[in-house]
Amino acid sequence: MSDATDPATAGDERRVELKHGAGGTATRDLVSETLAADFADPGDALVGLADMDDGAVVPVGDANLVVTTDTHVIDPPFFPGGDIGRLAVSGTVNDLAVMGATDVRALTSAVVVEANYPIANLARIADSMAATCAEADASVVTGDTKVMGHGDLDGVVINTTGVGVAEHVVRDAGLSPSDVLIVTDSVGEHGISLLAEREGIEFGSDLESDVKPLNDLLAVALETAGADVAAMKDPTRMGLAGALNEMAEKSGVGIEIREERVPVTSDVKGAGEMLGLDPFQIANEGVAVLGVAPKAAADVLAALREHPKGRNAAAIGKAIDDHRGRVVLDTGMGNRYLREPASEPAPRIC
């Protein structure tokens, strides 16, 4: 790790910026250079820290053990459609599920809260976590609580770690040319609704977060197509644009999507225009992107649409053999590259 007293890093005046926490290229570069630089992956890991996927996969006997961890800092902690408790459970369950571990074996919860925080709010968050665990058929089996001085922390921070077992391990780097890209729901609702709540903006609609656990929905896709589900990822902090660019870069393919096929509600479009935000670059907490072999894509799409959480699922494009590492957006008027945002458009929404 970098140390100002270490001759090897002396003279390095760089500081951590908000963009380093956005989950995109800046985050991956920072982690690779500092926090993960001295850690070696277990020799038998199928997916390790260096892969920067949604979790790690370590074989235990004949099973593929999937482990993931995530820390949630969100402002405000209670928002239309959810709260930090539902977010903390859903985020970790979804990171396991997109790795193929839809059977969640255990969760842990570590809560850091500032002194003078209302106990009623903490109880409300715990109730929400329990309800979301029940929805995901998961349990919190151990945890930790720390209290910091009043003003040393803005409210509450929750870390959740999850453990699951995957019969078929899925990577975000598994795309091949011609694989069909499927998105499970309309995009942009979490980030737009939370930012509107934070800023006190009324849109005269029922706009609310999409936050929800997706392991039951993604289990349907895996039961339908098995190994023909080639890649999965949840488009959180950097939105659909960030997830697609990362999948294209890691897979060594290009991705071509048609703008008109990406489901976006009229409420999100209108609010995005008012706030100057692109729904494709805004965080989602209840949406997944799948890359599916062409022979299985229609069956997977139909199965997703039969599930209550997948009614808006849509095939939005495909992986291609050119434009490697980039995402081409067909707007209907022409083509342009859909770029990953340089920094998080709206901090503290995940």
Side-chain angles (χ1 to χ4, degrees):
M1 298 181 185
S2 298
D3 182 346
T5 66
D6 185 344
T9 57
D12 186 348
E13 302 298 331
R14 294 175 299 163
R15 302 286 179 174
V16 175
E17 302 176 37
L18 281 175
K19 68 179 182 180
H20 291 121
T25 302
T27 300
R28 295 194 292 275
D29 290 346
L30 177 70
V31 172
S32 298
E33 183 182 345
T34 58
L35 300 173
D38 298 328
F39 296 124
D41 285 329
D44 58 352
L46 300 178
V47 182
L49 187 58
D51 294 296
M52 299 285 177
D53 209 324
D54 289 290
V57 182
V58 181
V60 178
D62 295 331
N64 296 311
L65 188 69
V66 182
V67 182
T68 189
T69 191
D70 204 349
T71 300
H72 304 273
V73 287
I74 190 163
D75 177 27
F78 301 95
F79 49 85
D83 54 67
I84 191 172
R86 182 167 177 78
L87 176 71
V89 172
S90 298
T92 294
V93 166
N94 293 346
D95 281 346
L96 290 174
V98 295
M99 300 289 296
T102 55
D103 179 11
V104 180
R105 298 299 174 91
L107 297 174
T108 74
S109 170
V111 178
V112 184
V113 60
E114 70 171 340
N116 205 37
Y117 192 76
I119 290 178
N121 283 2
L122 204 56
R124 182 179 167 189
I125 291 168
D127 288 345
S128 180
M129 292 180 74
T132 310
C133 280
E135 183 180 339
D137 194 20
S139 298
V140 173
V141 298
T142 189
D144 183 43
T145 305
K146 294 289 188 296
V147 179
M148 297 184 67
H150 182 59
D152 292 342
L153 181 74
D154 186 10
V156 60
V157 175
I158 301 177
N159 173 272
T160 44
T161 296
V163 178
V165 175
E167 180 177 342
H168 164 54
V169 174
V170 185
R171 303 282 309 278
D172 60 4
L175 290 176
S176 299
S178 300
D179 283 346
V180 176
L181 274 299
I182 295 174
V183 64
T184 62
D185 205 346
S186 52
V187 301
E189 291 169 28
H190 174 75
I192 294 284
S193 64
L194 199 130
L195 191 59
E197 178 73 7
R198 184 192 302 174
E199 302 300 327
I201 301 172
E202 297 284 347
F203 293 110
S205 69
D206 296 326
L207 184 62
E208 62 180 30
S209 168
D210 55 44
V211 59
K212 56 184 174 289
L214 293 172
N215 55 327
D216 52 351
L217 176 66
L218 298 185
V220 168
L222 293 171
E223 290 165 3
T224 301
D228 284 332
V229 178
M232 291 198 286
K233 196 162 190 67
D234 53 340
T236 52
R237 284 176 292 183
M238 303 295 265
L240 180 65
L244 291 176
N245 273 280
E246 189 172 350
M247 295 173 82
E249 180 182 349
K250 289 182 175 179
S251 302
V253 301
I255 290 177
E256 181 180 70
I257 66 170
R258 294 179 61 175
E259 185 173 23
E260 64 180 9
R261 292 185 179 180
V262 180
V264 184
T265 68
S266 57
D267 287 343
V268 167
K269 286 180 181 175
E273 289 173 359
M274 184 178 294
L275 295 168
L277 297 172
D278 180 353
F280 288 7
Q281 296 183 332
I282 281 290
N284 313 272
E285 288 294 338
V287 180
V289 180
L290 292 76
V292 182
K295 64 181 180 182
D299 288 341
V300 169
L301 184 59
L304 290 172
R305 285 175 170 170
E306 288 180 0
H307 193 284
K309 295 178 181 177
R311 293 195 190 100
N312 298 319
I316 61 173
K318 63 181 180 181
I320 56 178
D321 201 25
D322 51 5
H323 299 282
R324 291 174 181 263
R326 311 190 79 167
V327 180
V328 180
L329 179 68
D330 179 354
T331 66
M333 304 289 288
N335 294 339
R336 66 175 175 84
Y337 286 125
L338 179 64
R339 302 182 190 280
E340 182 179 78
S343 61
E344 195 171 14
R348 295 196 61 186
I349 60 174
C350 297

